[in-house]
């Protein structure tokens, strides 16, 4: 059944919200759905989205809200607790009441491996005030287990990975991974202190090619090295470490970056999921919270991952929970952990399919 979905997204920082919402819109469209992505700042899509996608319409979330000539559609998704425009809610509520339809208002939550994700997934929440009074929201939790909404995953992901040419991709970005025994990607927040880590790579006996993502990751590395190095790979006079700064990458090209590397350092929600699907060893920098709530979230993920002690220690060091330098890890041991985790995820429904099933069940249940 083809439905019209409305996804509402406010861009807060780091483009993580718009990244997840764009992937969700594309995933739904792949499955024959029509999607309107309402966003207050769509500028990141000029580089994040490699090309337009049939079935996805990006619309400006303005104030006051304007939906002249549009019907409210069938489903509305409130991404990450953003407050949907009251004008849209009023229009949506009027359409539901007039047509005798069931309310399909979904609050898409942040990704977590904590126990409450499965406990709260799908729960209803009556709307007690405002133009939507009398309607019902449902909490929808992405997650890593069958009791949650699953993770975003493209329908042709395995075929794309099988066709990927690592050598050609590295050559396109003026790098030669064959000259190095290992290729590592870095996607981190700017506040990272990388001094000990870069020094350990530079003094190692095995040559490393470090591919640094544009933006905050580049600034974090350059703050340590103290000089500009450009996009092409350069020896930094520190031994075995070569660094290549990458341009802004589309979501597809970011996937390719992860597929091309032996070890990936990723940050935030979207790149964590992409690292899991890449099937390569990775270390995740969780978004830090002032109250330290991210510590429990990080360890809940490590518990689900069934991470060995060496991987848990690496995560704690990388996230500043433990002091010390991160040396080259036991990547071979980590590989089996990631492979098994990916296999567990693959037999579960992905997020787009889970949403469609939830909506259809709600409409006909």
């Amino acid at each position: 059944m083809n439905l019209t979905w409305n996804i509402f997204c406010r861009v807060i920082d780091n483009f993580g919200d718009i990244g997840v919402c764009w992937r969700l819109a594309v995933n739904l469209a792949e499955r024959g759905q029509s999607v309107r992505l309402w966003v207050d700042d769509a500028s990141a899509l000029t580089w994040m989205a490699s090309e337009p996608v049939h079935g996805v319409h990006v619309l400006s979330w303005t104030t006051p809200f304007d939906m002249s000539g549009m019907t409210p559609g069938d489903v509305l998704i409130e991404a990450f607790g953003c407050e949907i425009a009251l004008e849209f809610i009023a229009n949506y509520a009027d359409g539901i009441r007039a047509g005798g339809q069931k309310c399909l208002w979904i609050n898409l939550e942040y990704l977590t491996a904590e126990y409450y994700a499965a406990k709260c997934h799908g729960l209803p929440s009556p709307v007690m005030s405002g133009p939507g009074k009398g309607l019902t929201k449902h909490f929808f939790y992405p997650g890593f287990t069958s009791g949650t909404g699953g993770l975003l995953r493209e329908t042709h992901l395995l075929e794309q990975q099988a066709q990927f040419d690592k050598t050609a991709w590295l050559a396109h970005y003026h790098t030669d991974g064959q000259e190095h025994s290992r290729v590592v990607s870095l996607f981190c927040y700017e506040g990272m202190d990388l001094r000990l880590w870069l020094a350990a790579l530079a003094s190692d006996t095995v040559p490393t090619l470090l591919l640094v993502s544009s933006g905050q990751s580049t600034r974090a590395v350059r703050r340590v090295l103290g000089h500009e190095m450009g996009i092409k790979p350069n020896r930094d006079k520190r031994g075995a470490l070569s660094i290549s700064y990458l341009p802004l990458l589309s979501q597809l090209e970011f996937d390719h970056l992860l597929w091309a590397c032996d070890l990936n350092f990723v940050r935030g929600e979207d790149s964590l999921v992409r690292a899991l699907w890449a099937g390569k060893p990775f270390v995740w920098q969780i978004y830090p919270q002032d109250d330290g709530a991210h510590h429990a979230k990080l360890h809940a993920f490590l518990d689900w991952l069934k991470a060995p002690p060496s991987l848990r220690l690496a995560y704690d060091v990388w996230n500043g929970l433990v002091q010390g330098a991160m040396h080259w890890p036991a990547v071979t041991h980590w590989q089996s952990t990631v492979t098994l985790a990916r296999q567990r995820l693959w037999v579960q429904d992905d997020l787009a399919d889970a949403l469609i099933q939830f909506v259809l069940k709600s409409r006909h249940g």
Side-chain angles (χ1 to χ4, degrees):
M1 178 183 293
N2 181 290
L3 302 174
T4 298
W5 301 63
N6 296 276
I7 301 175
F8 282 81
C9 174
R10 286 199 184 279
V11 178
I12 306 302
D13 58 5
N14 302 313
F15 306 115
D17 293 345
I18 183 62
V20 171
C21 289
W22 173 253
R23 284 195 192 274
L24 175 58
V26 172
N27 279 204
L28 288 169
E30 282 183 343
R31 292 155 176 81
Q33 304 300 300
S34 299
V35 185
R36 301 170 184 154
L37 176 56
W38 299 91
V39 58
D40 61 341
D41 180 4
S43 59
L45 294 181
T46 58
W47 52 267
M48 187 180 294
S50 54
E51 57 186 20
V53 174
H54 177 72
V56 177
H57 305 278
V58 179
L59 301 170
S60 181
W61 183 353
T62 59
T63 304
F65 190 80
D66 182 16
M67 58 178 300
S68 302
M70 293 186 187
T71 60
D74 302 298
V75 187
L76 73 99
I77 294 179
E78 190 175 51
F80 312 122
C82 70
E83 294 185 3
I84 297 176
L86 295 180
E87 299 94 328
F88 185 92
I89 295 299
N91 197 318
Y92 182 67
D94 288 345
I96 287 172
R97 292 167 184 141
Q101 303 175 44
K102 289 190 175 181
C103 171
L104 296 174
W105 182 350
I106 294 171
N107 188 346
L108 182 66
E109 294 287 345
Y110 286 103
L111 174 64
T112 183
E114 293 169 288
Y115 76 95
Y116 66 80
K119 182 178 180 181
C120 298
H121 176 62
L123 289 182
S125 176
V127 179
M128 306 301 293
S129 61
K133 183 177 180 179
L135 301 183
T136 301
K137 296 183 187 182
H138 284 85
F139 294 103
F140 209 90
Y141 278 84
F144 305 94
T145 66
S146 57
T148 64
L151 304 178
L152 287 169
R153 183 179 71 221
E154 292 70 35
T155 56
H156 302 295
L157 183 60
L158 285 179
E159 292 88 337
Q160 291 174 341
Q161 288 179 325
Q163 296 169 5
F164 177 65
D165 186 335
K166 171 181 176 178
T167 301
W169 190 88
L170 289 171
H172 176 74
Y173 286 99
H174 313 290
T175 65
D176 186 357
Q178 294 180 343
E179 291 184 358
H180 304 81
S181 295
R182 59 197 179 205
V183 183
V184 180
S185 74
L186 176 65
F187 183 48
C188 68
Y189 295 114
E190 189 172 354
M192 280 290 292
D193 184 352
L194 300 173
R195 290 173 297 175
L196 294 177
W197 182 64
L198 290 173
L201 290 177
S203 61
D204 199 77
T205 57
V206 179
T208 297
L209 172 61
L210 180 63
L211 303 180
V212 183
S213 297
S214 180
Q216 295 189 40
S217 307
T218 290
R219 291 192 290 272
V221 172
R222 284 178 168 163
R223 188 170 62 249
V224 174
L225 300 183
H227 59 84
E228 301 294 310
M229 297 183 67
I231 292 177
K232 292 185 178 181
N234 292 267
R235 294 287 176 185
D236 70 344
K237 311 303 183 184
R238 289 173 162 225
L241 177 61
S242 295
I243 299 175
S244 180
Y245 296 119
L246 299 174
L248 286 169
L249 299 178
S250 68
Q251 288 188 330
L252 179 59
E253 285 295 88
F254 183 78
D255 282 344
H256 291 168
L257 168 64
L258 301 182
W259 301 351
C261 291
D262 304 301
L263 177 63
N264 294 303
F265 287 82
V266 297
R267 76 178 199 212
E269 177 175 324
D270 185 55
S271 63
L272 167 62
V273 176
R274 307 322 296 182
L276 280 164
W277 294 135
K280 300 292 187 70
F282 66 91
V283 178
W284 176 39
Q285 183 186 12
I286 192 171
Y287 187 83
Q289 296 173 265
D290 292 337
D291 60 0
H294 60 292
H295 297 175
K297 185 174 181 178
L298 179 68
H299 290 148
F301 171 72
L302 290 171
D303 290 343
W304 169 83
L305 189 63
K306 300 180 181 179
S310 63
L311 185 55
R312 298 184 76 100
L313 177 59
Y315 271 60
D316 283 346
V317 171
W318 193 245
N319 284 277
L321 277 63
V322 173
Q323 298 300 312
M326 180 182 291
H327 300 283
W328 184 252
V331 173
T332 302
H333 188 33
W334 292 4
Q335 180 62 68
S336 60
T337 299
V338 175
T339 299
L340 291 173
R342 187 172 184 262
Q343 290 172 353
R344 296 199 302 272
L345 290 171
W346 203 266
V347 299
Q348 301 173 20
D349 287 333
D350 62 84
L351 180 59
D353 279 341
L355 277 167
I356 293 171
Q357 292 169 20
F358 180 82
V359 167
L360 294 179
K361 182 177 179 180
S362 298
R363 288 173 67 92
H364 302 296

